[in-house]
């Protein structure tokens, strides 16, 4: 009988990251390698010619640094080349280089013209006027940041992307704000006004400039919005190793949190409420209660329904979702709210700011399938507590299931990464312990990413 295939196992030969795609294009498969299709993320440098070829194959303007591209999507909160067997205490975040580090390990360049010290114009026209403050909306800022994230622009303090901006943290913000030159953390504040935490909105920046080590000990990110009403976590858009990313981040950052200062770009103009969905035309930012309920007919109702379907509420819709509010929308919304453990007015079937944020950012638990033997809080027929859903275990999660998971890991002998706990808030220690358990099952690739699925949950409770 063949080996059973679980939903958490991902065949390693189909990775679509730039490193793996390029490797399949230019390197013949070795018979000794069998079906192994992913290059090891920690295997050193590749030839500069290979890197330049990869950049051409991907349609990139300037040549990328001669470093092997880290394969696969970066695991939240962890460097992509950090292995599961790394010893030592957990660090505070993805860019940590030790508990006594002055800042993230993301050195930056100084002020420079677009496209580098030579100052040549990027392809497609003249660069923006460096002396003029360009006008831009919040939606445009976030959409510009998303383009680098989607392209996985490699991090570099010496290379410049095809749009002329330096591929480091300050170059990233210069790009997002459409500045006329590459600034650095020591000059970005000239283009902004200081604000408070309560005033933060998508498109603002959080700036940490360290005068003691300005090029190696500073960092800056674009604020993308709060994940929920507690304002403990937000979405950060940033350039950091190995490439630009969108990351749920504790406020104000993983390290040196008290030294990050919120700023707002001076050239900001009124516009859309946030980045807009290409499918529905509805923005990410919560539009207000008047857009939902009996009589409502707008793109936000459509987007709400589609997000609910993606989170397991498809059984409530016989047709649609569509722009006209129906009882199906109310029932699906209420099911999602109840899946988070909410009740009363917090589970009335009408989406408020927190419900909307959970759906937009993919937070919380999915809707429990009807008549599921594995519903959260119930015991399945095989005696294992019901799997609570993938949304229960991710950055920002804080619930009893995380505590239960940690205790099970400790009982199974996979608790070495806990310095304290386990507790209800999901941490990098939880992820690394889960990853060690998954690897002990013989799983690799995405099947051992440190995020428990139904089969991991079942084995921990068996």
């Amino acid at each position: 009988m063949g080996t059973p295939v679980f939903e958490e196992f991902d065949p390693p030969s189909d990775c679509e990251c730039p490193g793996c795609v390029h490797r399949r294009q230019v390197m013949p498969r070795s018979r000794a390698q069998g079906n192994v299709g992913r290059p090891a993320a920690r295997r050193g440098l590749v030839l500069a010619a290979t890197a330049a070829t990869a950049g051409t194959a991907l349609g990139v303007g300037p040549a990328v640094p001669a470093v092997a591209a880290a394969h696969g999507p970066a695991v939240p909160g962890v460097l992509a080349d950090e292995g599961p067997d790394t010893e030592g205490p957990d660090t505070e975040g993805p860019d940590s280089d030790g508990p006594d580090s002055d800042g993230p390990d993301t050195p930056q360049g100084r002020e420079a013209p677009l496209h580098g010290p030579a100052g040549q114009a990027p392809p497609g026209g003249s660069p923006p006027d460096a002396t003029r403050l360009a006008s831009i909306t919040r939606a445009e800022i976030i959409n510009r940041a998303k383009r680098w994230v989607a392209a996985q622009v490699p991090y570099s303090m010496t290379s410049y992307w095809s749009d002329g901006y330096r591929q480091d943290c300050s170059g990233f913000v210069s790009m997002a704000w459409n500045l006329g030159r590459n600034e650095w953390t020591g000059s970005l504040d000239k283009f902004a006004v200081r604000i408070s935490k309560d005033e933060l909105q998508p498109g603002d920046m959080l700036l940490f400039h360290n005068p003691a080590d300005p090029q190696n000990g500073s960092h800056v990110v674009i604020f993308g919005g709060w994940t929920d009403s507690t304002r403990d976590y937000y979405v950060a858009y940033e350039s950091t190793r190995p490439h630009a990313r969108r990351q749920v981040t504790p406020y104000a950052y993983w390290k040196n949190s008290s030294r990050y200062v919120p700023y707002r770009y001076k050239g900001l103009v009124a516009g859309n409420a946030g980045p807009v969905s290409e499918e529905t035309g509805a923005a990410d930012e919560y539009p207000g209660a008047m857009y939902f309920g009996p009589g409502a007919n707008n793109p936000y109702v459509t987007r709400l329904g589609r997000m609910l379907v993606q989170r397991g509420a498809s059984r409530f819709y016989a047709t649609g979702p569509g722009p006209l509010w129906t009882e199906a929308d109310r029932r699906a919304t209420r099911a999602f709210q109840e899946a988070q453990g909410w009740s009363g007015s917090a589970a009335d079937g009408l989406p408020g700011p927190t419900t909307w944020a959970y759906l937009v950012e993919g937070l919380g638990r999915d809707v429990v399938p009807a008549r599921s033997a594995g519903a959260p809080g119930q015991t399945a027929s095989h005696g294992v507590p019901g799997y609570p859903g993938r949304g229960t275990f991710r950055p920002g999660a804080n619930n009893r299931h995380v505590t239960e998971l940690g205790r099970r890991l400790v009982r199974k002998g996979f608790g070495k990464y806990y310095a304290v706990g386990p507790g209800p808030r999901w941490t990098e220690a939880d992820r690394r312990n889960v990853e060690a358990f998954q690897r002990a099952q013989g799983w690799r690739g995405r099947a051992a990413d440190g995020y428990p699925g139904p089969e991991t949950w079942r084995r921990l409770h068996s």
Side-chain angles (χ1 to χ4, degrees), residues 132-432:
R132 183 177 62 86
L133 204 62
S135 298
I136 195 170
T137 66
R138 295 188 183 280
E140 290 170 334
I141 293 173
I142 297 301
N143 286 332
R144 289 174 66 88
K146 282 184 173 181
R147 283 199 288 269
W148 270 33
V149 173
Q152 294 193 339
V153 174
Y155 179 88
S156 174
M157 63 177 290
T158 57
S159 297
Y160 295 79
W161 196 238
S162 57
D163 55 14
Y165 291 97
R166 190 176 56 243
Q167 296 165 212
D168 60 6
C169 62
S170 48
F172 177 81
V173 174
S174 300
M175 176 277 301
W177 282 1
N178 197 26
L179 301 182
R181 57 185 281 118
N182 287 285
E183 301 298 332
W184 74 312
T185 57
S187 62
L188 280 168
D189 62 337
K190 295 187 302 183
F191 301 88
V193 293
R194 187 165 178 173
I195 59 175
S196 67
K197 174 183 177 181
D198 291 339
E199 295 175 297
L200 273 168
Q201 294 185 50
D204 298 334
M205 76 172 175
L206 288 167
L207 175 70
F208 166 41
H209 181 68
N210 183 8
D213 191 1
Q215 286 186 271
N216 293 301
S218 306
H219 192 49
V220 61
V221 306
I222 291 290
F223 179 85
W226 299 108
T227 60
D228 57 41
S229 59
T230 66
R231 298 193 175 188
D232 291 332
Y233 283 80
Y234 67 99
V235 174
Y237 293 89
E238 61 183 325
S239 179
T240 185
R241 289 191 174 102
H243 51 67
R245 70 180 185 185
R246 172 185 180 277
Q247 172 73 48
V248 174
T249 304
Y251 186 83
Y253 201 69
W254 302 96
K255 297 196 67 178
N256 298 295
S257 177
S258 62
R259 302 174 71 179
Y260 279 79
V261 180
Y263 284 92
R264 177 163 298 157
Y265 177 54
K266 291 179 180 178
L268 191 70
V269 295
N272 292 325
V276 175
S277 165
E278 294 180 0
E279 294 182 353
T280 64
D284 281 354
E285 190 168 315
Y286 179 66
M290 72 288 295
Y291 282 80
F292 308 102
N297 190 337
N298 58 75
Y300 288 97
V301 177
T302 303
R303 187 171 187 195
L304 171 74
R306 291 182 178 178
M307 291 190 294
L308 288 166
V309 167
Q310 291 176 353
R311 299 300 297 273
S314 59
R315 71 177 186 270
F316 295 101
Y317 292 95
T319 60
L324 179 62
W325 179 270
T326 67
E327 178 64 11
D329 295 300
R330 189 195 66 80
R331 294 174 62 198
T333 302
R334 181 176 180 179
F336 177 77
Q337 292 167 332
E338 290 177 339
Q340 315 314 311
W342 305 337
S343 59
S345 61
D348 58 3
L350 297 172
T354 302
T355 299
W356 183 263
Y358 268 51
L359 289 167
V360 168
E361 301 299 338
L363 303 175
R365 295 186 288 272
D366 292 345
V367 176
V368 179
R371 298 182 297 277
S372 171
Q378 298 179 5
T379 300
S381 58
H382 43 63
V384 174
Y387 175 62
R390 295 182 185 276
T392 309
F393 310 106
R394 64 178 69 207
N398 188 337
N399 56 75
R400 62 182 178 85
H401 298 291
V402 176
T403 304
E404 180 183 352
L405 173 79
R407 290 173 178 172
R408 283 285 170 175
L409 287 165
V410 171
R411 291 179 188 176
K412 294 282 187 178
F414 294 89
K416 72 174 183 177
Y417 293 109
Y418 288 123
V420 295
R425 181 176 291 280
W426 178 266
T427 67
E428 176 59 13
D430 294 300
R431 192 201 67 79
R432 295 173 73 181

Side-chain angles (χ1 to χ4, degrees), residues 82-129:
E82 179 177 323
D85 300 322
T86 303
E87 297 294 339
D90 293 323
T91 57
E92 294 182 59
D95 301 308
S96 300
D97 54 359
D100 299 321
S101 170
D102 288 333
D105 185 21
T106 52
Q108 60 171 328
R110 298 296 298 261
E111 299 105 316
L114 289 189
H115 242 265
Q120 65 266 34
S126 302
D129 184 356

